[in-house]
Each structure stands twice: as structure tokens, then as C-alpha cells.
Amino acid sequence: VATVDFGSAVNAAGATQILKMDIYTAQGDTATNRPVVIFCFGGSFVGGARTSSELVSFATSLAKRGYVCASIDYRVAASAFDLLQEEKMVKVVFGAVQDGKAAIRYFRKDARNGNALGIDSTQVFIGGTSAGGILAINLAYVDDVNKLTTTWQTWAAQIGGLEGNSGNPGYCSQPDGVFSFAGAVGDTSYIDANDVPFYSCHATGDQTVQYGYGKPINGLAPVYLYGSGDIETRMTNLGIYNSVDTYSGADHPPLNGTNMATTTANLSTFLFNILDCNPNNLKHADQQSCKNSTIIPGDTVSGIARLNHDNDLTVYPNPANN
């Protein structure tokens, strides 16, 4: 396990926060095309740490299977009271999304500049626990700011848009798969037919982040989210590969007892099922990806991904020079 700085950004206290990640690699593994799995901690966007015990366990287990894993920092709210105000909550969540994107870009930058980590930059997956799952899911499926309400678009623009300025500009931030342990998404309509596969575990009685549609934090949050059950329905209807472990009770996340072993095994299976090296992988043929990205180190754009299904393109900042 090695700790590195992957970026920096201004946090809720107005100070510049150095963003760190712990990178897990298998001892003696000299392969140069290993897939990457990025983990994001839980803590209701007000606390938590990248050394969270369940993330250490998952990262260690997957590193032993040959993945390069990382558990990352991201910015959180200055106070729990901030999460009771819609504008502050939205800005905190999308600020965290920006940090997750910077982490993805860090690996693609390394791959393009010597590949010291020995990764396959077309196989990068991200997920996390609770708030970390919310971060990852919205990172993956809010791939166009126009999917947000006009008000949320305004708030996102005020903090630097979807990509932000947390580090490693000029590289694609699109993940190739996403997972969560009791996470949720702002709206299932964000998910398109060519979006990346999804894995989750979630308890049906969870009140911190509901399994279905509802307000998180026991109904105290000012927004409604769609939990794993609704995400599963949306993805199944669209024909996207997904796997959800549904548990009874109200544990958040449901990782107690044998559930931890089950989740570890099923997360591993999910990832194997979407690896390019698996000839029977379950990805969509037109799945969004960064494979055809033509970003050159030093470019001042935030990222370009070629989409097989259409020719939509967003360029920012706007206006721009050169």
C-alpha cells in the first residue's frame, strides 16, 4: 500500500485541501495491464476516511486478485447542518464528484506518462460506501450537465461544473463500471441505454439511504434520491448488465456477518463479468468509454470521450482560447 497525492481543491472551510489516495497492489505482480478499482468512503458527506475498514478489506481482496485498487479522499461538508440546505448539499455532492473524477484522471495520466502503475486505462471502475456510492453513481451517470435541473446546473457551474479543478486535467474521467454499498442516484432518468454496468448491495429497510425512492438521512435531507432497487429496475428495463444484492433489515450498509463475504465475492464476479479480457463479458457493445479518447498531455480541455451512439459534444470552459 502506497499513499500519493492525486490532486487538490478548495474545501468547505475555504482552505486548499490536498487529496490523497492509498494505492493497493499485489506483491510481486509485474503485469502492465491491470484493471483499476477506486473506492470512496462513506460518512454522509460530512465525515469518513479512506482507511474505512470495509474499504481496506475490499481493496486488499481485489489487489490479491490482480487489480490495482485505490481508496481516495474527497471533500465533505463543513457541518452536518449544511446537508439540510439543498444548495449546499448539491454543491458538496458535486464537489465530491469532481474529486472522484480527478482520481480517475490520475490513473489515466499515469498510464499515458510511463504507466508506472502498470494499469489498463480502459478498465477503470469506481464505487463506494453510502455517500461514496452516491458520489460514484452520480459521477458515472450524470455525464451531461443538461441532465440536471436548471437550478442544479447553476449550482454546479458555480463550483466548476461536473469536471471541476481538483487535478489532472486533460484526461478522460468516464468510468467503465460503477458499484455501491447502499448508494443512490439523484434521478434514474440520468441513466442511458449505453451507460456502464452497476453492482450494489442494499437493505430494504435502510433509512439512511433508502432502497427505493425517498429522502436520505432518515428523511432530513432536502432532496429525494433513488436507491439500488430503483436503479436496478431502470437498468434492467434498458438492458444494461447489473447485479444487486438485496438484504432484509435496515443495516447501513448491510455488510455485517456473512454479508461481507457475499459482497466481496459478488463484487469480484461483477467486475470479472465486465472485463475486456473476459471473452464472455456482459458489457453493451456501444457502452460509453474512453477507449477512443484522443487527449494529449498538456491539452487544456477537461476530457473527451467518443460515444458510439451519437455525436453529442460538450466543450468547456466556454468561452475558451486556442
Side-chain angles (χ1 to χ4, degrees), residues 141 178 196-200 228-229 231-244 270 274 282:
Y141 301 132
V178 66
V196 299
F198 171 74
Y199 167 80
S200 183
S228 301
I231 297 173
E232 178 185 28
T233 299
R234 170 72 171 176
M235 302 199 82
T236 299
N237 288 340
L238 291 174
I240 305 171
Y241 169 56
N242 68 93
S243 176
V244 175
F270 166 77
I274 58 176
L282 300 175

Side-chain angles (χ1 to χ4, degrees), residues 85-296:
Q85 303 175 52
E86 184 177 359
E87 179 179 354
K88 289 185 176 181
M89 178 178 232
V90 168
K91 288 182 175 179
V92 166
V93 171
F94 282 102
V97 166
Q98 293 172 354
D99 298 343
K101 286 176 174 285
I104 293 175
R105 294 194 298 264
Y106 174 87
F107 283 99
R108 293 203 166 108
K109 180 179 180 179
D110 180 84
R112 191 69 70 87
N113 293 275
N115 201 12
L117 294 170
I119 69 160
D120 179 350
S121 64
T122 69
Q123 303 283 271
V124 180
F125 313 104
I126 190 168
T129 305
S130 187
I134 293 172
L135 182 168
I137 296 168
N138 284 278
L139 181 156
Y141 301 132
V142 185
D143 50 6
D144 183 342
V145 71
N146 292 313
K147 290 182 176 181
L148 303 175
T149 65
T150 302
T151 302
W152 284 25
Q153 288 182 43
T154 299
W155 293 338
Q158 289 171 353
I159 62 168
L162 297 180
E163 294 292 327
N165 302 292
S166 300
N168 315 305
Y171 295 88
C172 179
S173 62
Q174 169 74 44
D176 299 287
V178 66
F179 57 91
S180 83
F181 316 118
V185 70
D187 198 317
T188 54
S189 67
Y190 298 164
I191 303 170
D192 299 320
N194 68 333
D195 267 322
V196 299
F198 171 74
Y199 167 80
S200 183
C201 68
H202 214 137
T204 56
D206 191 334
Q207 295 301 306
T208 303
V209 177
Q210 293 195 31
Y211 179 79
Y213 177 71
K215 289 185 175 183
I217 320 176
N218 295 290
L220 296 176
V223 300
Y224 286 87
L225 299 179
Y226 294 79
S228 301
D230 288 343
I231 297 173
E232 178 185 28
T233 299
R234 170 72 171 176
M235 302 199 82
T236 299
N237 288 340
L238 291 174
I240 305 171
Y241 169 56
N242 68 93
S243 176
V244 175
D245 288 326
T246 300
Y247 295 104
S248 59
D251 287 346
H252 179 84
L255 295 175
N256 296 322
T258 60
N259 291 355
M260 185 67 182
T262 300
T263 300
T264 301
N266 290 348
L267 175 62
S268 176
T269 298
F270 166 77
L271 293 171
F272 177 73
N273 284 343
I274 58 176
L275 290 178
D276 283 349
C277 63
N278 176 0
N280 299 312
N281 73 71
L282 300 175
K283 299 192 304 184
H284 252 303
D286 64 345
Q287 177 179 306
Q288 291 190 43
S289 75
C290 294
K291 287 184 179 180
N292 295 322
S293 175
T294 56
I295 299 302
I296 300 171

Side-chain angles (χ1 to χ4, degrees), residues 71-92:
S71 187
I72 71 168
D73 286 342
Y74 62 87
R75 289 167 292 164
V76 297
S79 165
F81 292 107
D82 289 346
L83 304 177
L84 304 180
Q85 303 175 52
E86 184 177 359
E87 179 179 354
K88 289 185 176 181
M89 178 178 232
V90 168
K91 288 182 175 179
V92 166

Side-chain angles (χ1 to χ4, degrees), residues 18-65:
I18 302 300
L19 300 169
K20 297 179 178 291
M21 65 167 70
D22 297 329
I23 300 177
Y24 296 68
T25 54
Q27 294 180 3
D29 187 355
T30 59
T32 57
N33 61 341
R34 296 174 291 183
V36 178
V37 184
I38 298 171
F39 292 92
C40 311
F41 61 80
S44 298
F45 290 105
V46 74
R50 67 180 187 273
T51 54
S52 180
S53 61
E54 83 282 5
L55 299 189
V56 171
S57 177
F58 288 130
T60 300
S61 176
L62 288 174
K64 290 179 178 180
R65 287 172 162 85

